[in-house]
Amino acid sequence: MKIEEKKSIQDYTREELSQLIKPAFRAKQVYSWLYHKYVTSFDEMKNLPQLLKDELSKTYRISPLKIVRKEKSRDGSIKYLFQRDDGNTVESVLLLMKKKQFNEDGSIKHQEKYTVCISCQVGCKVGCSFCLTAKSGFIANLTAGEIVEQIRMIKKDNDIDANRRLNIVYMGMGEPLDNLRAVAQSSRIFADPDGMAIAPHRQTISTSGLSSKIVKLGKLGLGVNLAISLHAVDDELREKLMPINKAYNIQSIIDAVKQFPINDRKRVMFEYLVIKDVNDDMASAKKLLSLLNGIKSKVNLIYFNPYGGTEYKRPEEKDMKQFQEYLTKHGLHCTIRESKGLDISAACGQLRDNELEENGV
Ligand code: SAH
Ligand code: SF4
């Protein structure tokens, strides 16, 4: 068997592994090596019998992705470019939400807070006109193991302790609900208390609004948070920005969201990418408010991040503020997404694009 043909051990939940590895308690040990110590070979799993280590390395692999590029931003965010076996690359970003702070006596006031933004596909079928990922079309679905590996490698690379709490957002490259099986599997693997123990309420799945799949995701009962990339409040504009709107219009998304089980302490996040002179007007803010009426929601306004060749422009700060103030004044939770990592290639898809250009692709 060639190495590429082996399945990654990270494709499996602990329950599945305990069916495959006997005696079953060994699965828990393997999980601990993988997700607490971030090992990259079976040989490092010191408390396993040699026979089992040999067997495992014959059957499975551990490193389905390799880090091919890393960019650090001044605010501490780090953008990673990972490569698969087939040579294709995907991005993930480690966002430092809060720096570690000390009290005057040297004791720790609060620990760092991390969020990791991960990818689930190479390219994307949805084809949004503002998105760089869409430009390459759809290339491949990532496996659950490849999704899991992004977090595992980033934790290893930054020496992030296994117990350090961290949030995950499926907001990198690709449409999570178009690869629902692998995404759901990765979510279960992340949540396992014997593994990374990233509780479902710390995971957010962002979608361009595949309404039927939103309902399906809700029925899976994973307990994850939902984010909807809305970006426009009327169907005509939304179709221009996001062709998927022809299949699933705004009302169908709102209806699907209303059926989605939401954690008592949480709200559905509506992402609104603000583009200058396209959707930054007050009439849109007004319509957004009425659309979300009756939904436990919050709005995240995102600055459009321009790149070479796009016709769209970054909005004015004053228009962003005005938009936000209108919504907050009327009782809607509304934040403006901090431009984390703006000095690196900020929005997802942009690091990969730089790499392709440099390689003349
Ligand atoms: N496909 C899913 C998952 C995230 S897509 C979705 O669309 O929800 C990646 C995120 O990057 C989306 O929130 C999208 O709005 C945002 N994005 C894409 N292009 C951008 C750009 N040029 N500037 C800022 N954000 C962008
Ligand atoms: Fe795909 Fe999301 Fe980009 Fe739209 S914004 S093309 S859904 S990755």
Side-chain angles (χ1 to χ4, degrees):
M1 192 192 273
K2 280 204 311 249
I3 192 152
E4 299 81 41
E5 287 162 8
K6 293 182 195 170
K7 279 195 84 171
S8 303
I9 194 139
Q10 296 95 313
D11 281 324
Y12 300 94
T13 62
R14 189 174 39 81
E15 287 76 20
E16 288 166 346
L17 273 189
S18 57
Q19 301 295 316
L20 299 166
I21 303 174
K22 298 287 175 201
F25 74 92
R26 295 286 182 207
K28 200 167 162 175
Q29 293 176 324
V30 168
Y31 245 56
S32 178
W33 285 111
L34 287 173
Y35 301 121
H36 301 155
K37 311 222 174 57
Y38 318 128
V39 300
T40 50
S41 72
F42 291 104
D43 261 352
E44 293 166 73
M45 301 186 174
K46 299 222 181 337
N47 58 357
L48 300 192
Q50 191 58 44
L51 209 64
L52 179 59
K53 285 192 274 191
D54 293 344
E55 191 58 38
L56 289 173
S57 45
K58 253 187 261 158
T59 322
Y60 306 105
R61 57 189 307 217
I62 296 193
S63 301
L65 295 177
K66 61 174 192 258
I67 298 172
V68 287
R69 186 160 165 181
K70 207 162 112 177
E71 274 186 23
K72 193 162 184 173
S73 130
R74 258 172 278 138
D75 65 18
S77 308
I78 308 177
K79 197 151 188 170
Y80 285 86
L81 192 67
F82 287 102
Q83 189 171 43
R84 318 172 74 212
D85 287 337
D86 63 6
N88 281 311
T89 51
V90 289
E91 295 176 11
S92 326
V93 194
L94 171 69
L95 298 154
L96 185 62
M97 309 305 278
K98 227 183 202 175
K99 289 195 175 130
K100 193 174 190 167
Q101 277 192 7
F102 297 91
N103 294 310
E104 279 172 15
D105 65 2
S107 59
I108 294 172
K109 191 171 171 193
H110 64 72
Q111 292 283 6
E112 315 71 345
K113 272 196 170 171
Y114 296 111
T115 294
V116 188
C117 174
I118 52 175
S119 294
C120 63
Q121 294 180 320
V122 185
C124 183
K125 285 179 204 159
V126 179
C128 302
S129 61
F130 52 79
C131 176
L132 206 51
T133 300
K135 302 274 181 267
S136 49
F138 170 76
I139 299 171
N141 275 328
L142 296 195
T143 60
E146 287 169 329
I147 299 173
V148 168
E149 189 66 353
Q150 296 169 54
I151 302 277
R152 209 178 77 91
M153 280 295 103
I154 286 180
K155 289 185 83 175
K156 181 183 174 73
D157 196 48
N158 293 279
D159 272 329
I160 300 177
D161 191 87
N163 298 320
R164 169 89 24 256
R165 271 191 283 175
L166 144 167
N167 295 329
I168 299 178
V169 290
Y170 290 79
M171 288 184 188
M173 300 167 70
E175 168 50 54
L177 300 191
D178 189 35
N179 187 15
L180 185 52
R181 190 203 286 247
V183 164
Q185 177 81 343
S186 67
S187 163
R188 292 187 195 100
I189 296 169
F190 287 136
D192 192 318
D194 286 323
M196 291 200 246
I198 303 167
H201 70 266
R202 299 197 169 279
Q203 305 177 21
T204 300
I205 294 184
S206 174
T207 176
S208 56
L210 283 67
S211 311
S212 58
K213 294 284 185 69
I214 294 173
V215 175
K216 202 166 167 187
L217 174 69
K219 289 193 175 142
L220 289 178
L222 295 171
V224 293
N225 305 315
L226 181 67
I228 304 288
S229 290
L230 196 64
H231 309 331
V233 288
D234 62 76
D235 286 317
E236 198 185 333
L237 174 61
R238 197 165 189 273
E239 275 176 26
K240 278 191 202 141
L241 299 176
M242 310 173 77
I244 188 89
N245 198 74
K246 290 185 193 126
Y248 300 104
N249 66 15
I250 297 177
Q251 193 53 49
S252 78
I253 298 174
I254 299 291
D255 293 343
V257 169
K258 285 185 174 159
Q259 294 181 44
F260 192 84
I262 305 162
N263 184 309
D264 282 347
R265 288 171 303 168
K266 297 283 178 178
R267 295 166 180 274
V268 173
M269 186 207 280
F270 284 83
E271 296 166 276
Y272 191 90
L273 180 70
V274 187
I275 308 174
K276 187 177 162 62
D277 300 333
V278 172
N279 62 358
D280 58 352
D281 55 296
M282 291 318 286
S284 296
K286 227 174 180 169
K287 185 125 186 239
L288 182 57
L289 186 73
S290 70
L291 259 183
L292 301 186
N293 188 21
I295 301 179
K296 243 180 83 187
S297 55
K298 59 181 177 188
V299 172
N300 195 201
L301 301 177
I302 311 164
Y303 276 99
F304 174 71
N305 191 46
Y307 49 87
T310 178
E311 59 187 296
Y312 299 126
K313 295 191 186 71
R314 187 183 157 88
E316 305 284 342
E317 198 180 324
K318 66 167 182 24
D319 293 332
M320 278 298 251
K321 289 261 162 66
Q322 205 183 5
F323 203 108
Q324 181 193 29
E325 271 162 25
Y326 179 84
L327 297 180
T328 359
K329 203 172 72 196
H330 289 85
L332 204 58
H333 282 238
C334 178
T335 48
I336 295 181
R337 189 180 288 176
E338 285 181 64
S339 348
K340 291 230 167 260
L342 245 196
D343 55 320
I344 54 175
S345 327
C348 263
Q350 301 193 3
L351 179 64
R352 180 173 188 270
D353 198 62
N354 288 346
E355 182 79 2
L356 295 180
E357 262 172 29
E358 277 169 24
N359 291 326
V361 182

